[in-house]
Amino acid sequence: MIYKGKAWKFGADIDTDQIAPNHAYRQADPEAGYVFCMKNQDPTFATSVAEGDIFVAGENLGIGSSREWAPFYLHKCGIRVALAKSFARIFYRNCFNLALPALVCAETDKISKGDELEIDAVRGQVRNLTTGEAYACDTVPEHLMTMVADGGLMAHLKKKLKKAG
Amino acid sequence: MGQTIAEKILARASGQDHVTPGEIITCQVDMAMMHDSSGPRAAGKKLDELGAPIWDLDKLVVITDHYVNDMTEASQAIQDHCDVWCRDHGVKHYIKDKGICHIVLPEFGHIRPGDFCVGADSHSTTAGAFGAFMVGIGATEMTGVLVTGEIWVRVPENVRLEITGALGPGVSAKDVILKICGDHGIMGFNYQLVEYCGAAVTAMSAQDRMTLTNMAAEIGAKTGIIAPDGKTRNLLAAWGQPDVDIDAWQSDADADYVTRLTIDGAGLAPQVAAPSSPKNADDVDVYTNVPLDQAYLGACTGAKLEDLQMAAQVVKGKKVAGGTKFYVAPSTYRMRDEAAADGTLAILEEAGAVILPSGCGGCIGIGDARLGDNATGISSTNRNFIGRAGEASSKLYLASPYTVAASAIAGRIADPRDMLA
């Protein structure tokens, strides 16, 4: 699967309280809370991301809560891939479950905000179209890419239930 | 080659004799827990979208704790929806407003050594203190469990973390885990499992051990686990789960650990983590004299009966400093009753503590203990990320129940050992 988009660059230890503050989803329509996504880090983030953009961070992206609102809000803002040096494990699983690939890339320091990136998630290749650089990213376990191709865990479960039923 | 406790549990849950770190397996879930935030309104909604039945109603536990003390219309609507959903789906184990899920679960007899459990909350790792393997998962993943009763797991590498010696007076499990956060960072053990052992862990009460495993997410670990012993069996029996098997769930002497680490328990000073990460932990004397607007004893991490007793030991016969608020929200109502019966609550109240309802409350910025604009607080909770416990401009320090209590008396961050002397 090939993803192409503009980079939004953040540092290390971006926690789930930054991506999805708890007040954002403690409301009648929790999905609307995406406007608070990353607000404490970049007040323009939620309103400026274009569909297909790529979230780039340092170590330990998504540390903290199991709240699925974190990858949900990123996706709702328009983010389609997350690239980080490492991920907190629940956030990592939540991303794939919502069909938002979370790719481990050791060289995210070389990426700047606004760089155009092209990512081949199956081959594990990242091309920085702005700088002309190429980086490697870890390939993803096959069962996870199958789920992403299905459209996430919900779509995957629907398919499974249909088959069984 | 022998196996660790965790490997034995994963092997049993996946129907194999043996598992190997890195291997991806599918495990059958013995118990799944979700709460009022992650449950009916999130995973439940998705389950309804699929129109599938719950795989096993005996194995699902729903607990309300996140929005129970919040009188806003939105939170009340979440509670009402939770009631209706659980009724409509025939949820057998619906535990409403009894306290925080990670403590309520064992308290209501839902945790046994050797079980493979999942919870839709990141602090679900707490159950590891009883020799269970329990991990936190998100809402969609929980939906998958509700439908199929199974989940994929990457078998984690095991880290053996030995805490040697005897912890000194005024030092508890919270100081140990904060020390680990400080030394290894909130990423230190990513994807790995940490097994705690050693003389200090053996000497620890079964309740205090829960504080160690509670904060697995704060060191990046998949989960934490402690070999069950007689104390485990006794506490679980008192909580309605008699005669658990402890012998089957011990690590073999020749089990393989990716890392073996040692912490000197005897030399450990009380720890304090500065804003805005648990990794900013250091000896208390680094932070003494930081003036405080508020001290909070609460959450699944730091308001169990024994945590309240630790605080009472410090504040007995003393008064909370003028200008500093001291809030106490016992982890569960059962523990609140026990603390009332043994005089602990009276000691805290005589010192000037205000007792709040049990629930997630102040830890997630709900209720009276919410930190206001530019306020500085210290708390016995597990996280101090920006804005977690209140306004984004507030500052939160993390510490043990002893240190939180001593700081409430001093009106600034203080070393509890000076007050226990």
Side-chain angles (χ1 to χ4, degrees):
Chain A
M1 288 165 113
I2 310 286
Y3 298 88
K4 200 171 166 182
K6 193 160 55 64
W8 287 82
K9 178 71 189 293
F10 296 94
D13 298 339
I14 297 295
D15 61 79
T16 50
D17 280 291
Q18 309 312 307
I19 305 169
N22 59 49
H23 66 82
Y25 56 87
R26 192 171 68 235
Q27 52 176 328
D29 179 10
E31 297 189 3
Y34 79 92
V35 294
F36 298 104
C37 181
M38 295 301 287
K39 203 173 175 195
N40 288 333
Q41 301 286 329
D42 178 351
T44 68
F45 179 81
T47 48
S48 309
V49 173
E51 181 161 350
D53 281 357
I54 295 163
F55 195 93
V56 182
E59 297 280 4
N60 213 17
L61 177 57
I63 171 73
S65 158
S66 63
R67 64 190 69 158
E68 197 175 61
W69 299 112
F72 180 88
Y73 287 170
L74 289 178
H75 195 276
K76 182 107 177 162
C77 288
I79 296 293
R80 291 296 174 265
V81 187
L83 207 59
K85 288 189 194 174
S86 60
F87 291 86
R89 57 163 294 278
I90 307 179
F91 179 81
Y92 179 84
R93 294 179 72 116
N94 283 345
C95 282
F96 282 97
N97 288 335
L98 296 186
L100 179 79
L103 305 176
V104 176
C105 173
E107 298 173 276
T108 58
D109 285 346
K110 295 176 182 164
I111 300 169
S112 305
K113 185 181 174 183
D115 284 358
E116 285 287 334
L117 304 179
E118 190 178 273
I119 300 173
D120 184 331
V122 174
R123 289 210 174 89
Q125 294 169 345
V126 180
R127 285 176 60 211
N128 188 328
L129 304 177
T130 305
T131 65
E133 293 171 325
Y135 326 116
C137 65
D138 291 359
T139 53
V140 174
E142 203 185 324
H143 73 290
L144 288 182
M145 280 321 282
T146 308
M147 191 170 69
V148 169
D150 280 350
L153 181 56
M154 279 297 281
H156 193 66
L157 287 168
K158 278 177 194 163
K159 206 164 115 179
K160 215 169 157 176
L161 286 168
K162 206 171 162 187
K163 224 189 235 173
Chain B
M1 177 66 72
Q3 298 216 85
T4 64
I5 311 166
E7 288 163 352
K8 289 180 186 183
I9 298 173
L10 293 176
R12 184 199 51 77
S14 62
Q16 303 179 77
D17 295 333
H18 200 274
V19 293
T20 312
E23 186 187 351
I24 289 174
I25 57 172
T26 299
C27 291
Q28 302 300 313
V29 173
D30 295 311
M31 190 277 298
M33 185 279 299
M34 56 189 194
H35 52 59
D36 50 339
S37 182
S38 61
R41 69 188 295 245
K45 195 175 156 202
K46 287 169 189 282
L47 180 75
D48 293 345
E49 199 184 315
L50 294 172
I54 293 168
W55 102 103
D56 189 341
L57 284 164
D58 288 323
K59 293 179 176 169
L60 173 66
V61 183
V62 182
I63 298 173
T64 66
D65 60 4
H66 274 60
Y67 306 134
V68 287
N69 310 316
D70 187 22
M71 294 309 139
T72 63
E73 206 177 308
S75 289
Q76 290 302 308
I78 292 169
Q79 295 305 304
D80 293 345
H81 173 262
C82 199
D83 287 349
V84 172
W85 192 91
C86 287
R87 192 192 61 210
D88 289 353
H89 291 76
V91 174
K92 282 189 190 170
H93 306 296
Y94 177 36
I95 309 174
K96 192 177 154 67
D97 202 4
K98 296 288 186 195
I100 306 172
C101 60
H102 309 301
I103 315 299
V104 165
L105 262 186
E107 228 183 30
F108 278 70
H110 292 292
I111 300 293
R112 291 175 306 185
D115 278 1
F116 175 86
C117 310
V118 298
D121 189 282
S122 59
H123 293 112
S124 298
T125 57
T126 309
F130 301 100
F133 184 106
M134 187 159 178
V135 287
I137 58 174
T140 303
E141 190 113 57
M142 179 55 80
T143 309
V145 171
L146 291 176
V147 174
T148 65
E150 58 183 40
I151 188 169
W152 70 270
V153 175
R154 178 191 164 279
V155 178
E157 287 80 17
N158 286 220
V159 173
R160 186 177 183 275
L161 208 158
E162 183 182 357
I163 302 136
T164 60
L167 301 180
V171 180
S172 67
K174 183 64 177 291
D175 300 299
V176 175
I177 190 68
L178 285 177
K179 172 72 179 164
I180 300 168
C181 292
D183 285 356
H184 298 275
I186 51 176
M187 178 64 186
F189 302 100
N190 207 18
Y191 308 133
Q192 299 176 330
L193 175 139
V194 180
E195 183 180 325
Y196 299 95
C197 59
V201 177
T202 306
M204 242 174 232
S205 72
Q207 265 192 35
D208 209 22
R209 289 174 189 166
M210 296 171 80
T211 309
L212 274 186
T213 50
N214 175 267
M215 289 180 63
E218 284 73 18
I219 54 173
K222 188 184 201 89
T223 190
I225 203 160
I226 296 170
D229 61 6
K231 291 179 187 175
T232 317
R233 186 162 50 197
N234 291 344
L235 184 59
L236 291 180
W239 283 349
Q241 184 61 261
D243 303 323
V244 296
D245 185 358
I246 56 174
D247 299 329
W249 309 107
Q250 304 290 328
S251 291
D252 296 328
D254 59 345
D256 190 29
Y257 294 91
V258 66
T259 317
R260 288 170 187 260
L261 295 167
T262 304
I263 287 182
D264 170 23
L268 185 66
Q271 300 288 301
V272 172
S276 299
S277 173
K279 75 176 179 186
N280 300 334
D282 211 332
D283 290 356
V284 62
D285 59 9
V286 175
Y287 299 114
T288 44
N289 298 324
V290 171
L292 297 168
D293 300 302
Q294 180 180 308
Y296 179 63
L297 204 62
C300 48
T301 324
K304 300 178 291 300
L305 175 64
E306 290 179 13
D307 297 324
L308 306 179
Q309 289 167 340
M310 289 179 208
Q313 230 182 303
V314 174
V315 306
K316 190 169 187 177
K318 303 184 184 73
K319 291 284 176 199
V320 171
T324 304
K325 287 179 229 143
F326 184 26
Y327 291 116
V328 176
S331 301
T332 70
Y333 283 103
R334 176 184 172 135
M335 289 177 173
R336 181 191 177 120
D337 289 346
E338 287 167 345
D342 75 2
T344 299
L345 228 45
I347 295 171
L348 293 169
E349 285 185 294
E350 276 160 26
V354 175
I355 313 297
L356 298 179
S358 300
C360 298
C363 184
I364 53 171
I366 290 178
D368 291 349
R370 179 179 172 81
L371 281 172
D373 253 328
N374 297 308
T376 302
I378 190 165
S379 88
S380 62
T381 60
N382 43 41
R383 283 183 192 148
N384 56 349
F385 299 139
I386 295 168
R388 173 172 175 93
E391 298 302 323
S393 60
S394 65
K395 291 185 172 54
L396 183 60
Y397 292 79
L398 303 177
S400 74
Y402 286 124
T403 305
V404 168
S407 303
I409 298 299
R412 56 179 173 77
I413 294 177
D415 189 332
R417 294 173 299 186
D418 300 337
M419 293 191 197
L420 287 167

